[in-house]
Amino acid sequence: MTAAEFRAAARDWLARHADTPWGEGLDGARRFQRALHAAGFAGIDWPVEYGGRGLGADDELAFAAESAGYDLPSEPFTIGLRMVGPTLLAFGTEPQRRRYLPSLLRGEEIWCQLMSEPGAGSDLAALATRAEPDGDDFVVTGQKVWTSRGQWADLGVLLARTDPRAPKHHGITMFVVDMHAPGVTVRPLRDLAGRDVFNEVFLDRVRVPAGRIIGERDGGWAVAMAMLTHERQSSAAMLRASGTTITAAQLARAATGDRAIALDRVGRVRVHENALASLRAELAAAARSGVELGARGSVAKLAWAALDRLAAETASEVAGPGVVARCGRPGEADLATAVGVALSTGIAGGTDEIQRNIVGERLLGLPRDGDTATRPAAAPTSAGSAELDALRDAVRRLLTRHAAMPQVRAVADGWHGWDRLLYKRLASELDLVGLAVPGRFGGSGAGWREAGVVCAELGRALAPVPYLTVVLAAQALVASGDERSAAELLPPILAGATVAVWVRPPDGAVTASGDRLTGVVPLAADALAADVLVLPAGGDDGPGLYVLSARGPGTRRDRLEALDPTRRLARLEFTGARARKLSCTDPAGATGHLDDLAALLLAAEQYGGVAECVRMAVAYVKERTQFGRPIGAFQAVKHRCADLHVVAEQAGALCRHAATVADTAPHELPEAAASAKAYLAEHYRRVAAQTVHLHGGLGFTWEHDAHLYHKRALTSAVLHGDATGHRLRIAARLGLTGEAG
């Protein structure tokens, strides 16, 4: 079965069965899970011998995407499926896998985890529950708390101390416990919404066979850390399965009052949902391919908590009085409950403060509490494949040699503000201009993932070259369908001999009468570098795509005094400028597609800037010493750096997802590209500003490079659509309009 056939089968099954009335409570959930497994959509990428289907991570992600729009009754099984199952696959014995995994997939047994204790929450290794050997069994005595689904569970994974003489993080073992065994008492606890969602569990001399140890005796800490990584990665999905988080779609239905505010706010939530979904998809794919995620699970946990807070705040802003009182509108009670429960998302599964410490110390290499030693940062996130990583490294090497910051500053001081020699190296030495151009025109026919990698590296270096606008101009020629013009114009463009720049006037700003253009483009990037301009314009016979000389009669280019010295901007004025109209059957559609590609490529460039800002900030707080230790050892600084890293991880995942969509599912590109551009427009300037702040007085000087990234961030935020414009587009796709309802 191909990937497309699998996805079509999943879509068909969900359409026929997802909204079936399966029944109330656990019985209904068990019937649904049994049917899901029988259809082959439970354990999609688990081995066949354990009840799975034996397919790949991509198929699992495809089903998750198709099922995201349904309210599936799978909540009772989420701990088992997302935490226990992966842990047993990694650490369980063969008998354990064959005994527990098939029944889990069929919905026959519900699992919980027994880890936290009254005296061991964030400091999990401080647990006091004991497991003492007695023949072929262990006798467990202790108390656990915050046990979600404990009142339903048939089985639990228990962490207990088996060697009280061992150091704190040693002498701990993980067991499988029968929750119906003698000596197990479950007592529900109510949350702030009055629901019985978690419990305290008392264990009074509970006998557990030694064959139920997961992993090694006294080696349970490593197993627990692996399980917590799965928990942090899956927390968002588990909460969404329980209906206790607020989605952008829910907010769109509940919005009242000022529609302009609602459009923007709901669009922002959707953008952040897409950012988290992109990150989680990458982490899931990496985990299923055998990559050890380590502390990256904490990145997803922090992103999820931030999203939930944003959604709750947005509900309070746009949903009106239904958030605080039942006024008769559908869904009010669920929304009000979710707003309150959002307070827990920065606590459940490990507090935000603990997660920031983990990110700061294990991913960024900042000193641990009370320590002065820094460590190397974790390896950078992959660009998506070994081939993409090789491309990234090749571009970075070239830019390191030929676009170091002193060279960038020197070029920025010139009138044209661009580096012609560097651009020719990119075009001729690495053949980068034609990455997304079909081979019949002289391009490599690679794709937008490759072009996105290049844009990210150029953004990281603030390289003063017109790469982005030239790539768009080349794509305009391809998208026009004018094979003759493309065959004539593209070869010198791809070779770097001709600089053709895509210009996007405001709608209606430039008009055509025959082959003459008239109008003004108030802001055009890279126009001063251009030999040729490619742009859309309205004509007597409708919209069209046009090509004209940048230096011909009737074309005036005025350099603008711009905030960003590394990106030259110009004003264009056409007064009867002669242009060639491309033969294009759908110029409006082609222009819309180019708008999406422009948002994607500029977002990728912005991501490169974000990544470099985070690198600069982390490097500085490691080397800058105050009060006898690096300032990165202070929790306030460490946490700020961790938050910047979370933004960078989501930004990169969003851009990679949008580029993949551009290559494989163009119909999904409008939302994917708009999400990437809106997210980066909002966050790049904040990251750059924080980078200035973390450098203190040094960051506020002209000589330091941090201010150049801040200026680039501010400029990029308004090019090819600002954040608000893209959020409005996204909100409209959710069915929210500017009309009051």
Side-chain angles (χ1 to χ4, degrees):
M1 177 179 288
T2 66
E5 290 170 340
F6 173 83
R7 191 155 192 159
R11 188 180 302 122
D12 176 70
W13 190 89
L14 288 164
R16 289 186 292 109
H17 298 286
D19 294 326
T20 298
W22 295 97
E24 297 296 324
L26 293 181
D27 289 341
R30 291 184 192 276
R31 279 193 288 272
F32 169 78
Q33 186 63 31
R34 186 162 55 248
L36 187 71
H37 179 260
F41 298 118
I44 292 167
D45 61 346
W46 289 15
V48 174
E49 58 267 31
Y50 307 131
R53 191 162 175 179
L55 300 179
D58 289 344
D59 298 301
E60 175 70 31
L61 294 174
F63 183 80
E66 292 296 333
S67 62
Y70 295 97
D71 184 17
L72 303 181
S74 55
E75 192 267 342
F77 307 102
T78 51
I79 288 178
L81 293 170
R82 296 183 179 274
M83 296 173 58
V84 177
T87 302
L88 286 172
L89 285 170
F91 295 95
T93 64
E94 186 64 16
Q96 288 172 347
R97 293 170 184 156
R98 292 188 179 277
R99 159 64 183 86
Y100 297 120
L101 295 180
S103 60
L104 167 58
L105 292 175
R106 293 191 297 266
E108 295 169 1
E109 292 172 325
I110 296 172
W111 288 74
C112 67
Q113 59 164 324
L114 302 161
M115 291 193 181
S116 295
E117 298 184 2
S122 297
D123 186 11
L124 184 59
L127 58 86
T129 296
R130 298 285 190 267
E132 300 174 345
D134 184 15
D136 293 332
D137 297 339
F138 283 79
V139 178
V140 179
T141 301
Q143 179 184 354
K144 298 292 180 177
V145 74
W146 316 126
T147 304
S148 299
R149 303 164 187 83
Q151 71 271 44
W152 306 331
D154 303 294
L155 299 163
V157 285
L158 168 79
L159 212 57
R161 189 165 297 283
T162 45
D163 185 355
R165 298 167 298 178
K168 184 176 181 179
H169 293 86
H170 301 271
I172 294 172
T173 303
M174 182 174 284
F175 298 89
V176 176
V177 173
D178 181 354
M179 294 297 290
H180 305 298
V184 177
T185 302
V186 179
R187 185 177 300 166
L189 298 170
R190 294 204 297 169
D191 69 2
L192 53 76
R195 305 169 308 151
D196 297 334
V197 294
F198 41 65
N199 308 265
E200 52 185 345
V201 178
F202 299 90
L203 303 126
D204 183 12
R205 297 191 59 78
V206 178
R207 300 192 72 86
V208 181
R212 291 190 176 182
I213 292 175
I214 302 176
E216 299 293 330
R217 176 176 174 176
D218 297 331
W221 186 252
V223 183
M225 291 302 97
M227 180 173 284
L228 289 176
T229 296
H230 294 300
E231 178 185 37
R232 289 159 185 160
Q233 179 190 336
S234 304
S235 292
M238 290 193 289
L239 265 290
R240 291 192 187 283
S242 68
T244 56
T245 61
I246 304 165
T247 67
Q250 185 180 6
L251 290 169
R253 292 191 296 270
T256 63
D258 190 315
R259 308 302 279 180
I261 293 176
L263 281 163
D264 182 62
R265 301 296 191 272
V266 172
R268 177 182 277 114
V269 172
R270 180 67 166 192
V271 166
H272 284 76
E273 284 180 347
N274 290 339
L276 177 58
S278 298
L279 175 61
R280 289 190 60 249
E282 286 196 347
L283 295 179
R288 292 185 181 105
S289 65
V291 174
E292 176 58 48
L293 296 181
R296 291 191 74 198
S298 294
V299 174
K301 173 64 168 59
L302 284 165
W304 159 58
L307 169 60
D308 250 22
R309 287 192 294 270
L310 174 64
E313 292 166 3
T314 302
S316 300
E317 292 175 335
V318 307
V323 174
V324 295
R326 298 190 181 184
C327 303
R329 297 189 67 187
E332 286 175 339
D334 292 340
L335 189 63
T337 297
V339 168
V341 171
L343 296 172
S344 71
T345 56
I347 301 171
T351 66
D352 282 355
E353 289 71 25
I354 292 296
Q355 307 306 329
R356 290 186 179 108
N357 282 344
I358 291 171
V359 171
E361 294 166 7
R362 300 183 193 175
L363 290 180
L364 304 181
L366 298 175
R368 300 178 186 275
D369 185 37
D371 195 1
T372 60
T374 62
R375 298 164 183 81
T381 303
S382 171
S385 69
E387 293 77 12
L388 291 173
D389 289 343
L391 173 63
R392 176 194 63 195
D393 295 343
V395 176
R396 190 173 298 183
R397 285 193 299 269
L398 186 146
L399 294 174
T400 299
R401 292 195 304 271
H402 302 292
M405 197 53 70
Q407 295 162 283
V408 171
R409 285 176 176 260
V411 170
D413 287 339
W415 190 87
H416 288 288
W418 73 288
D419 191 332
R420 183 181 296 273
L421 180 58
L422 174 62
Y423 176 74
K424 287 188 174 181
R425 291 182 188 277
L426 294 170
S428 59
E429 291 185 19
L430 297 182
D431 295 325
L432 299 180
V433 176
L435 285 173
V437 174
R440 68 182 185 276
F441 297 125
S444 66
W448 295 108
R449 284 172 286 199
E450 288 79 4
V453 168
V454 176
C455 285
E457 289 306 307
L458 296 174
R460 181 187 290 270
L462 297 183
V465 291
Y467 179 81
L468 188 154
T469 48
V470 174
V471 168
L472 291 171
Q475 193 59 212
L477 293 169
V478 174
S480 73
D482 188 334
E483 296 278 319
R484 179 179 176 182
S485 294
E488 173 192 342
L489 297 172
L490 279 172
I493 294 172
L494 303 189
T498 298
V499 176
V501 166
W502 170 254
V503 174
R504 181 60 164 96
D507 290 341
V510 178
T511 58
S513 179
D515 63 352
R516 303 286 181 166
L517 298 185
T518 301
V520 173
V521 182
L523 195 70
D526 302 326
L528 296 176
D531 302 310
V532 172
L533 303 174
V534 185
L535 70 158
D540 298 332
D541 55 350
L545 295 177
Y546 294 83
V547 179
L548 72 159
S549 169
R551 301 182 179 87
T555 298
R556 176 173 175 171
R557 299 180 292 175
D558 294 320
R559 172 182 164 179
L560 299 176
E561 293 299 323
L563 174 68
D564 178 10
T566 66
R567 167 161 277 150
R568 193 68 78 232
L569 302 174
R571 177 184 182 272
L572 297 177
E573 183 174 357
F574 305 110
T575 52
R578 186 182 297 276
R580 177 200 295 192
K581 184 177 182 180
L582 298 175
S583 177
C584 181
T585 58
D586 183 14
T591 300
H593 183 58
L594 286 161
D595 286 342
D596 293 334
L597 293 174
L600 160 62
L601 295 180
L602 185 53
E605 182 190 280
Q606 291 172 294
Y607 161 62
V610 166
E612 179 60 16
C613 283
V614 175
R615 188 205 64 78
M616 286 193 299
V618 171
Y620 181 74
V621 303
K622 285 182 178 181
E623 68 183 31
R624 174 62 170 166
T625 300
Q626 291 285 275
F627 305 104
R629 53 178 170 161
I631 62 173
F634 294 98
Q635 194 171 77
V637 175
K638 183 186 303 179
H639 286 190
R640 187 168 291 187
C641 290
D643 287 340
L644 298 184
H645 182 76
V646 171
V647 168
E649 286 269 341
Q650 291 186 93
L654 256 180
C655 291
R656 288 185 289 271
H657 170 70
T660 300
V661 162
D663 285 334
T664 60
H667 64 283
E668 298 178 13
L669 181 59
E671 180 169 346
S675 294
K677 179 59 168 67
Y679 187 87
L680 269 301
E682 177 183 351
H683 288 288
Y684 185 9
R685 63 179 184 268
R686 294 179 180 176
V687 170
Q690 288 294 311
T691 300
V692 171
H693 184 90
L694 286 166
H695 282 81
L698 178 64
F700 203 67
T701 63
W702 181 263
E703 287 73 18
H704 197 275
D705 297 330
H707 73 94
L708 295 176
Y709 287 88
H710 187 238
K711 292 170 181 174
R712 173 62 71 90
L714 293 172
T715 300
S716 299
V718 302
L719 296 176
H720 298 299
D722 61 15
T724 297
H726 285 294
R727 289 195 292 259
L728 297 184
R729 290 177 61 200
I730 291 168
R733 291 175 67 86
L734 293 172
L736 187 62
T737 69
E739 301 174 358

